[in-house]
Amino acid sequence: MAKRITSVAIVIMILISTLLCYNFTSITASASMAHSSSRDVQSSGVGNPFNYGERNTPANASVSQMRAINHKMSVQEIKYAIFKEVDENWDLLKVRLGVTDREKVYALFLGLATRESTIGHNGDGGDLETNAGGSFGTNAAQAYGPFQTAVTAYKNNNPNFMTEYDVPEMKQYDLTQQNFYDCIISLHMGIRKVLHFVTLAINDQHMSGYTVVRNALKGFNTGWATPGDAAYYKDYPDEIIALAHWYYSNGHLYDNEATWTTDPRASAYRSNPWSWWSDASPSLASVSSTPQVIEEATVNPNADISKIKLGDANMDGEINSKDATIILQDYARSIVGKKTILTMSVSDVNKDNTINSKDAVFVLQYYALLIVNSNYGDMEKFMGF
């Protein structure tokens, strides 16, 4: 028995050494950002270094449990949650906002989150609710999350509210407490809501250039993308874009730093707030999304999920060090692209609803046992399921 344990340990060490030869990007490579500084953000986005899925909280959790999870989010975690949503909808956003600089769009939404909730800098993380009077969903101004996304953004809300069904390219979640109080979904719906008002600004108000985004932000706040007075613009959309410019020009897109409304550090960007954005050409042109390409390790896109075993991350029918490689690349965000239910179901080896280095270690341990004893059994047995 002792010899077998020693053999397994040696095999694991060899496998780990082999994996370290891969050009993995450590998410801790930089103290100021979670993704690799060598990454081409403009073409590939930041990836998903905090391993966010479609939700930030379990769908069956209570409201108090969900809010507690969101409350723990740091400023940086909220930033990368926003970036995830921007990256997943980039093909649409760059057309609707008329901006091809991805970091400008990151900054825009950081500015919105800062104006609405101080992006977690006040100690609330992603957990902030306003105007929750009455029963759930009855107040059109009831809003939650870093963007303070209102209940009106959701599908099947109060029939007396104005509908926002004109962004078919983005999923519109039903108005339920489990959706409303999830930070990731709230961010997704907030971005969708901005694009709803982009549509109104172009179609109904015949706006163009930066005024489209300026009045879409107004609509996000007031419900109307119509022209407003100078005092309102200064206080809300112009303040948002000035705060956005601060993040963009001062190296604070990716770290844990935040600004706040009226922060004197952003004063230099308030006198002509849209000057850095004025080349924008928003459009309602149709968008055909192109799936992002998976880099380095590959996954079988035609695999039958019913026949794939737990731990077979690349879905090639075998469980070996290649699967650990896939998981580690996914964790370190060398792989670009969205998570899918298919890969989650086989790569989440310990079934904790997260794909990370723990899953890779379990795969390596299991593979080492297979090398020592090819008849060891399957991953489900190894994990005790």
Side-chain angles (χ1 to χ4, degrees):
M1 183 65 175
K3 289 183 179 180
R4 177 178 174 180
I5 293 174
T6 301
S7 298
V8 170
I10 292 172
V11 171
I12 290 176
M13 290 176 65
I14 293 172
L15 290 172
I16 290 175
S17 298
T18 301
L19 287 174
L20 288 175
C21 292
Y22 284 88
N23 185 25
F24 293 131
T25 302
S26 171
I27 63 170
T28 59
S30 170
S32 63
M33 62 176 66
H35 69 280
S36 169
S37 59
S38 64
R39 189 181 181 91
D40 184 354
V41 170
Q42 294 298 342
S43 65
S44 303
V46 297
N48 187 5
F50 288 101
N51 203 34
Y52 293 123
E54 183 182 20
R55 304 182 58 89
N56 192 50
T57 62
N60 60 354
S62 67
V63 170
S64 61
Q65 290 171 329
M66 294 170 70
R67 295 192 63 171
I69 293 170
N70 296 333
H71 195 86
K72 295 178 180 178
M73 297 179 76
S74 68
V75 170
Q76 187 183 53
E77 288 171 335
I78 293 172
K79 287 181 179 181
Y80 276 88
I82 292 171
F83 302 157
K84 166 192 173 290
E85 292 299 323
V86 170
D87 287 346
E88 289 186 354
N89 297 284
W90 178 240
D91 288 340
L92 177 66
L93 284 165
K94 66 183 179 183
V95 173
R96 293 292 178 267
L97 301 180
V99 174
T100 57
D101 183 339
R102 197 185 298 239
E103 290 188 322
K104 279 191 176 182
V105 178
Y106 288 167
L108 171 70
F109 288 109
L110 294 186
L112 175 60
T114 300
R115 178 64 179 83
E116 287 288 356
S117 68
T118 69
I119 201 167
H121 187 61
N122 58 3
D124 290 324
D127 173 48
L128 187 66
E129 182 177 21
T130 57
N131 298 311
S135 57
F136 175 74
T138 59
N139 182 352
Q142 183 181 5
Y144 183 77
F147 291 155
Q148 288 295 279
T149 306
V151 295
T152 55
Y154 293 79
K155 186 168 60 175
N156 297 323
N157 57 40
N158 189 316
N160 295 320
F161 299 159
M162 291 182 290
T163 59
E164 299 180 2
Y165 298 147
D166 52 4
V167 190
E169 300 89 350
M170 289 184 69
K171 179 176 180 177
Q172 186 174 28
Y173 289 85
D174 285 311
L175 180 60
T176 66
Q177 292 190 61
Q178 278 62 40
N179 289 337
F180 182 75
Y181 290 105
D182 183 89
C183 185
I184 300 291
I185 291 178
S186 178
L187 291 172
H188 173 93
M189 293 303 292
I191 291 174
R192 189 185 187 281
K193 188 177 182 72
V194 169
L195 296 192
H196 160 69
F197 286 106
V198 164
T199 301
L200 296 185
I202 295 175
N203 276 345
D204 296 353
Q205 303 301 320
H206 310 294
M207 294 176 177
S208 61
Y210 79 90
T211 61
V212 171
V213 181
R214 193 187 195 200
N215 286 279
L217 293 173
K218 175 181 178 290
F220 185 92
N221 182 241
T222 67
W224 305 96
T226 53
D229 59 42
Y232 174 81
Y233 283 129
K234 178 181 179 181
D235 180 64
Y236 193 78
D238 292 357
E239 180 67 8
I240 287 172
I241 205 66
L243 298 173
H245 200 172
W246 179 86
Y247 286 108
Y248 182 83
S249 294
N250 289 274
H252 294 305
L253 286 176
Y254 306 115
D255 58 18
N256 213 40
E257 291 294 319
T259 183
W260 55 85
T261 304
T262 73
D263 182 356
R265 293 179 299 169
S267 294
Y269 310 114
R270 293 191 175 100
S271 59
N272 191 11
W274 292 90
S275 60
W276 68 302
W277 195 270
S278 58
D279 61 342
S281 300
S283 170
L284 296 181
S286 61
V287 175
S288 56
S289 179
T290 302
Q292 292 181 317
V293 178
I294 295 177
E295 300 167 350
E296 298 183 12
T298 58
V299 174
N300 179 6
N302 301 313
D304 181 350
I305 187 60
S306 65
K307 298 179 180 179
I308 300 301
K309 296 180 180 180
L310 181 67
D312 184 10
N314 64 351
M315 293 172 279
D316 67 352
E318 299 179 0
I319 299 175
N320 52 36
S321 60
K322 293 179 182 178
D323 301 300
T325 298
I326 286 278
I327 292 171
L328 285 175
Q329 286 180 339
D330 203 24
Y331 179 52
R333 285 308 167 271
S334 293
I335 286 184
V336 179
K338 302 177 186 179
K339 277 246 182 354
T340 66
I341 295 174
L342 184 65
T343 56
M344 175 66 81
S345 66
V346 296
S347 301
D348 181 20
V349 177
N350 61 351
K351 297 185 179 181
D352 65 352
N353 296 317
T354 303
I355 298 174
N356 56 32
S357 57
K358 292 180 182 178
D359 301 298
V361 170
F362 286 130
V363 169
L364 288 174
Q365 290 174 336
Y366 175 72
Y367 181 43
L369 287 171
L370 284 182
I371 292 174
V372 175
N373 180 1
S374 60
N375 296 316
Y376 176 75
D378 59 25
M379 180 65 76
E380 296 272 354
K381 177 182 176 182
F382 174 71
M383 296 300 298
F385 298 131

